[in-house]
Amino acid sequence: MSGAFMGPPWQMDWVDTARAARDSLPRRVRDLIDAVRAELVTVEDPYFRGVDNLPDLPEGCRISPLLSTVPSGLHVCHFDHGRGWIHYTFLRRTADPQIVVEEVFWQ
């Protein structure tokens, strides 16, 4: 391996509590989360969301930094028109970059 920055598809890892929360949701909501996951692991940059670089997220989903003062930190994907969210970070490493899902919530 040359040590160059790797590109998509990215690996996605789930904190145990986030995986358990996702697995306990109704099938329709899990399918929506899976569609968000599919977009995040294939988009060139899971953080950048400019006007000309919008991903093909499902209807009612949007992504933003959790804190505007930390644009490279924890991000939130609101889904199901704001009824739920996924908190995730993107670890930009030369070897094995990955997205880590830290929390899933839906009401």
Side-chain angles (χ1 to χ4, degrees):
M1 178 177 266
S2 66
F5 188 67
M6 298 172 61
W10 308 111
Q11 298 297 316
M12 183 174 271
D13 192 18
W14 296 71
V15 172
D16 289 342
T17 54
R19 171 68 73 186
R22 181 235 174 249
D23 291 347
S24 70
L25 296 172
R27 167 53 76 199
R28 177 188 72 81
V29 179
R30 289 193 316 262
D31 290 345
L32 187 55
I33 291 171
D34 291 346
V36 169
R37 179 200 175 278
E39 174 58 28
L40 288 175
V41 299
T42 58
V43 72
E44 188 66 34
D45 184 344
Y47 278 171
F48 180 68
R49 294 293 179 254
V51 173
D52 296 328
N53 192 24
L54 294 176
D56 295 323
L57 289 170
E59 177 72 25
C61 296
R62 64 180 166 45
I63 292 176
S64 61
L66 194 59
L67 297 172
S68 62
T69 56
V70 188
S72 63
L74 190 64
H75 272 56
V76 60
C77 174
H78 294 276
F79 64 91
D80 199 15
H81 302 279
R83 292 187 65 196
W85 67 73
I86 301 168
H87 289 175
Y88 72 94
T89 55
F90 178 52
L91 304 175
R92 298 175 188 268
R93 300 182 292 213
T94 302
D96 193 31
Q98 68 179 339
I99 298 166
V100 178
V101 176
E102 298 184 14
E103 182 179 28
V104 173
F105 173 82
W106 182 79
Q107 60 180 357

